[in-house]
Structure formats: structure tokens, C-alpha cells
Amino acid sequence: MSLSKNIKVKEVIVSSGADRFLPFAVTLGLFVILFGTSSSGGGFQGGVIVASGCLLVYLGHGYKAAVGAINMEVIRINEAIGATLYILLGVCGLVFGARFCQNVFYKLGDVGDLISGGTITFMSYAVGYKVLTGVGFLLLLLLGLLAPEREEDEKKEDEAL
């Protein structure tokens, strides 16, 4: 078996593995964001798990496919929306005569319900949204710095064969 066949087989294994794990990573991340106030986890942890989907797409299909599937300008704008939502929820405390980021909607839901944490629940959602877009954007930026070197290395390997 030649070296180029080994590389192609490894690429197929990695891309199919990334395709298999991507839905699980996104689902687990969204679960951690949604139920973070009533179980372990929260917005930050769930956001990082969802953002790992960008890394899975890159590992499985390369930088061009990752940038083609994930629009960086849309992610950048949505990161600002997540930060704005968090600030607006924090200002709700001031509007209702309390401190910034104070839990003013604490009477929502019963104990154990999805929104039983009041303002904290919605702030956790905003943090999750901000982190998943911010970390996803940073991952794509960092991978973009690595992508040209990887393409040059592949060309050199092809020329060596």
C-alpha cells in the first residue's frame, strides 16, 4: 500500500468520525446550556461544547469546508447580539429597583422547571449564545492561520510522491 492510499484512508476515517460526532456535540452543548441552571453545567460550558462543532468540521473536511459551512460575518454579528442580550438582562435589575444583574424574575416557574432560576436562567442562555459564537469565531480565525501552512505541506507531500 502506498503512502498516498494510507493518507486517503485516514482522511475518510477522520471525516466520517467528525460527521458522526458533530450532532452529538451540538445536542450535548445545547442541553448543557438549556438545563445549566437546574443541573450541572451552564452557558459557558455548553457554549464551548457547541463551538467544538467548528473544530469537528475543520478536522473532518478542512478549512474551506468549515468556512463555507459557517459564515464568519454572521457569527461575529451574533456574538455582539449575545453580549447585548446579557447586558439588557443585567439592566433589568436596575429597572426594577435592584442591583445590576440581580435576579428580579425569581418567581418564575416552580423548583426544577426549565425557567425556575428567573433572570439567572436567561442570563445563562445569553452567556451560552455569546460563548458559542465567540469561541466558534476564534477557532475559525486560529484555524485560518494554520490553513495556508497545511495546504503548502500537502503540496510538498504530493510532490515528494
Side-chain angles (χ1 to χ4, degrees), residues 87-106 119-120 123:
I87 291 169
L88 289 174
L89 288 166
V91 169
C92 284
L94 297 174
V95 170
F96 288 99
R99 293 183 306 270
F100 182 74
C101 290
Q102 187 169 346
N103 190 3
V104 292
F105 302 128
Y106 58 88
T119 311
I120 296 169
M123 293 178 89

Side-chain angles (χ1 to χ4, degrees), residues 1-11 157-158 161:
M1 189 182 264
S2 71
L3 182 62
S4 64
K5 282 189 177 183
N6 281 340
I7 292 171
K8 299 253 187 244
V9 169
K10 288 179 184 177
E11 287 177 2
E157 288 177 2
D158 291 340
L161 294 175

Side-chain angles (χ1 to χ4, degrees), residues 57 64-71:
V57 173
K64 288 182 182 178
V67 171
I70 304 163
N71 188 340

Side-chain angles (χ1 to χ4, degrees), residues 1 5-6 15 22 24 38 59 88-90 97 101 137 142 147 154 160:
M1 189 182 264
K5 282 189 177 183
N6 281 340
S15 66
L22 181 63
F24 293 113
S38 60
L59 291 174
L88 289 174
L89 288 166
C101 290
F137 186 74
L142 291 172
E154 289 174 359

Side-chain angles (χ1 to χ4, degrees), residues 21-146:
F21 283 112
L22 181 63
F24 293 113
V26 172
T27 304
L28 175 65
L30 292 175
F31 176 82
V32 170
I33 291 171
L34 286 175
F35 294 98
T37 54
S38 60
S39 67
S40 60
F44 185 85
Q45 296 89 337
V48 172
I49 294 170
V50 174
S52 71
C54 297
L55 187 60
L56 285 173
V57 173
Y58 168 75
L59 291 174
H61 302 285
Y63 180 72
K64 288 182 182 178
V67 171
I70 304 163
N71 188 340
M72 291 188 52
E73 185 63 24
V74 171
I75 287 180
R76 188 185 64 77
I77 292 168
N78 282 312
E79 182 185 10
I81 291 171
T84 304
L85 285 172
Y86 184 84
I87 291 169
L88 289 174
L89 288 166
V91 169
C92 284
L94 297 174
V95 170
F96 288 99
R99 293 183 306 270
F100 182 74
C101 290
Q102 187 169 346
N103 190 3
V104 292
F105 302 128
Y106 58 88
K107 293 183 181 180
L108 290 176
D110 295 327
V111 174
D113 287 348
L114 188 60
I115 58 168
S116 62
T119 311
I120 296 169
T121 302
F122 301 117
M123 293 178 89
S124 177
Y125 296 163
V127 167
Y129 191 64
K130 165 86 171 91
V131 169
L132 79 88
T133 54
V135 172
F137 186 74
L138 285 175
L139 277 173
L140 289 175
L141 281 177
L142 291 172
L143 295 173
L145 294 174
L146 298 173

